[in-house]
Amino acid sequence: MGLLDRFRKEDAADTDSAAGAADAPAEAPSTGESDEPAKRGLFARLRSGLQKTSDLLRTDVRDLLKKEGDIVDDAFLTRLYAILVKTDMGNAAATAIRDEVLARHRARKVHMEEILATIRDKFRELLAQAPGGDAESPLELAPSAPTVVVVVGVNGSGKTTSIAKLTNLFVKQGKKVVLGAGDTFRAAAVEQLTIWADRLDCEIVKAEQGSDPASVAHRAVAVACETGADICIVDTAGRLQTQSNLMDQLTKIRRVMSKQVAEAPHEVLLVLDATAGQNAISQARGFSDAANCTGIILAKLDGTAKGGVIIPIRQQFDLPVKYVGLGETADDLDVFNVDRFLDALFD
């Protein structure tokens, strides 16, 4: 499938998604009265989302070893490398983990739990984030409201739904949110975001299809300032004709925002589709370069994805993974935490 065909397919999928959302019953956001059960529920969904990768690791590593254990030699390491690559972690991460197994267990007889423990330790090292990346409130909030957040990503990555989930998270915290429907090149994106704004009872700023996205961003920030909103979240185009067009548009959006709120945008979040595997990295690299992103939302980690893709995403973009999307509802967004991720994957 060519690149243009892929984009056409993603545009059609987004249109169908928006149409389906219009027919679906509105879901009331959680009240936040009972945080502990909600956290347990999110962990269960995270575990379910990583089930495919967890099963692959445990089953294939178990099959790799004899019941009485096996010697770590070249043949063993070659087979282990092949297993690791199947999780979508990529060649570099698979090589690093294979080399760690070699360094720890060279010429020794090992059992499954020893190998899994070594893989887990190396996962933690590869996923290590700067302080704040694992915090329960990972976004950089402005000293005085509003905090302005720009969200970028290719069409079909789950960008609009991720904005809805992020909005729901803020609403549950008692914050007032204004949305800016800046993906003016796709009517379906504006329609879908409008549906979510109605559901979550927050104001949305939008314009006619094909309007200047920067004008939407400008008005959204202005409305946030005028109404005393705590947060302003602005969607952006999922596709422009050239990289220079994309960079020019994002630069313009930054400029009009900063005229109203110093240092805006305070966060630029890149949405990546976990089900796209290694393709997610190549699709989104241009956005990362053009937008000066501050963090990543890894969307669609719902059981169809291979969780190993989070490693090359973390390494190649050198950005903290701030949130993971775990399903289709507004509540299915969790702060990314390395230890919780590893617990869900290996325990």
Side-chain angles (χ1 to χ4, degrees), residues 154-302:
V154 299
N155 293 341
S157 64
K159 177 164 58 76
T160 306
T161 305
S162 294
I163 291 172
K165 293 175 180 179
L166 192 59
T167 301
N168 180 56
L169 198 65
F170 287 128
V171 169
K172 285 163 57 179
Q173 295 170 359
K175 291 181 169 62
K176 183 176 182 178
V177 181
V178 171
L179 297 178
D183 192 353
T184 59
F185 301 106
R186 290 191 308 134
V190 176
E191 179 186 354
Q192 190 179 9
L193 199 60
T194 301
I195 292 168
W196 279 114
D198 291 341
R199 288 182 179 182
L200 299 171
D201 193 26
C202 62
E203 190 163 357
I204 183 168
V205 174
K206 53 189 177 180
E208 295 293 326
Q209 185 175 0
S211 299
D212 182 4
S215 69
V216 175
H218 181 275
R219 287 196 293 116
V221 175
V223 169
C225 293
E226 292 164 4
T227 60
D230 301 291
I231 308 288
C232 178
I233 304 176
V234 178
D235 192 9
T236 58
R239 170 164 55 99
L240 291 178
Q241 289 179 319
T242 67
Q243 176 72 4
S244 61
N245 284 352
L246 172 64
M247 189 170 295
D248 290 345
Q249 188 60 254
L250 292 172
T251 299
K252 186 176 180 181
I253 288 172
R254 281 180 170 273
R255 186 172 64 250
V256 300
M257 286 178 166
S258 63
K259 286 181 178 179
Q260 300 177 86
V261 176
E263 307 300 327
H266 304 96
E267 290 275 2
V268 181
L269 301 180
L270 172 64
V271 178
L272 296 179
D273 177 359
T275 65
Q278 295 290 310
N279 287 336
I281 298 171
S282 58
Q283 286 178 4
R285 182 168 285 109
F287 283 88
S288 176
D289 294 342
N292 295 320
C293 296
T294 58
I296 289 169
I297 299 176
L298 186 62
K300 305 184 185 180
L301 194 64
D302 57 4

Side-chain angles (χ1 to χ4, degrees), residues 58-70:
R58 286 188 170 275
T59 301
D60 286 16
V61 170
R62 180 193 64 207
D63 292 346
L64 177 62
L65 296 158
K66 299 183 181 72
K67 187 175 181 180
E68 65 275 12
D70 214 336

